[in-house]
Amino acid sequence: GAVVSQHPSRVICKSGTSVKIECRSLDFQATTMFWYRQFPKQSLMLMATSNEGSKATYEQGVEKDKFLINHASLTLSTLTVTSAHPEDSSFYICSAWTGNYGYTFGSGTRLTVV
Amino acid sequence: GQQLNQSPQSMFIQEGEDVSMNCTSSSIFNTWLWYKQDPGEGPVLLIALYKAGELTSNGRLTAQFGITRKDSFLNISASIPSDVGIYFCAGQGYSTLTFGKGTMLLVSP
């Protein structure tokens, strides 16, 4: 149990466009989800905490207007990278607190902005 | 902010060898977690430690939560090629995780 599904796994977009990444809890309800960013050979850096029915909490230095987070239901959180630029290219990973199973991570999304 | 120092940064070992990696923190954590990440995938939980001094095993993996609550180690015994990957420690505070920088493990057959 406690599976987090993340889509898409890979996306290539043109500079200036927006990209939406979905994170779903498949067999549990997640009031809180987390979005991380990971650069090559680097650790996971928390970007924001997504709260169902309320505004996300962003970490210092993360632009909330750039990285829009919506957590409209107990099973879905979305991260939209707006007006993407090549420096936004990265590996984005979502996570959810599952209770008994602790934190479970999605399989990640490789974003490439060209 | 909280920082985790994870070492070694990378290891290249022969199949069958034992491996040890550790994390230290500048502050106390309530829970220590060890994850493995394969290329292009999200981290997968290996072991969770909830009490200071706790020693927990999961197959060939053994991890301990330091008495001071500021450190943890992970041992892998009799390594096999599929152990290749990046291993991360993570400390859990109130509700969020802080990750170490990772240990890349390479195992030659």
Side-chain angles (χ1 to χ4, degrees):
Chain A
V3 176
V4 173
S5 175
Q6 185 173 343
H7 293 280
S9 58
R10 290 176 179 270
V11 58
I12 300 174
C13 71
K14 291 185 177 181
S15 187
T17 62
S18 295
V19 173
K20 180 185 285 188
I21 303 170
E22 292 187 348
C23 184
R24 295 181 183 271
S25 57
L26 296 188
D27 46 7
F28 67 100
Q29 293 181 333
T31 55
T32 304
M33 290 187 175
F34 305 89
W35 288 95
Y36 294 84
R37 184 173 183 176
Q38 186 179 31
F39 290 106
K41 299 184 180 180
Q42 300 279 327
S43 187
L44 284 76
M45 297 300 296
L46 180 66
M47 298 175 64
T49 301
S50 169
N51 303 298
E52 186 271 334
S54 64
K55 292 181 179 180
T57 304
Y58 290 82
E59 295 299 301
Q60 189 174 8
V62 179
E63 300 176 59
K64 61 180 181 180
D65 295 330
K66 174 75 170 176
F67 299 100
L68 298 179
I69 291 173
N70 184 280
H71 194 157
S73 78
L74 288 171
T75 59
L76 174 64
S77 175
T78 61
L79 169 67
T80 301
V81 183
T82 63
S83 187
H85 288 92
E87 57 265 31
D88 298 325
S89 299
S90 190
F91 193 56
Y92 293 87
I93 309 172
C94 69
S95 164
W97 170 253
T98 66
N100 290 337
Y101 297 98
Y103 292 94
T104 297
F105 288 82
S107 55
T109 298
R110 172 73 60 196
L111 170 63
T112 303
V113 185
V114 298
Chain B
Q2 295 172 325
Q3 294 183 348
L4 293 185
N5 297 309
Q6 183 172 350
S7 63
Q9 187 175 8
S10 63
M11 287 189 289
F12 184 45
I13 62 172
Q14 298 279 347
E15 181 177 3
E17 290 185 14
D18 298 342
V19 166
S20 183
M21 59 193 79
N22 68 84
C23 273
T24 58
S25 169
S26 57
S27 55
I28 290 173
F29 286 107
N30 297 322
T31 301
W32 278 93
L33 306 163
W34 284 93
Y35 290 88
K36 182 189 178 194
Q37 185 178 27
D38 291 326
E41 297 288 332
V44 175
L45 181 65
L46 299 175
I47 291 181
L49 302 159
Y50 301 105
K51 296 180 181 179
E54 178 181 356
L55 182 69
T56 298
S57 293
N58 178 9
R60 294 179 294 107
L61 277 60
T62 302
Q64 183 158 31
F65 192 156
I67 289 292
T68 64
R69 294 166 63 190
K70 292 184 177 181
D71 63 296
S72 176
F73 71 74
L74 173 70
N75 289 339
I76 305 174
S77 62
S79 59
I80 58 178
S82 62
D83 289 335
V84 165
I86 302 178
Y87 292 78
F88 289 100
C89 63
Q92 180 183 340
Y94 176 65
S95 62
T96 59
L97 296 181
T98 301
F99 282 86
K101 293 186 176 182
T103 296
M104 178 179 290
L105 176 63
L106 299 174
V107 181
S108 65

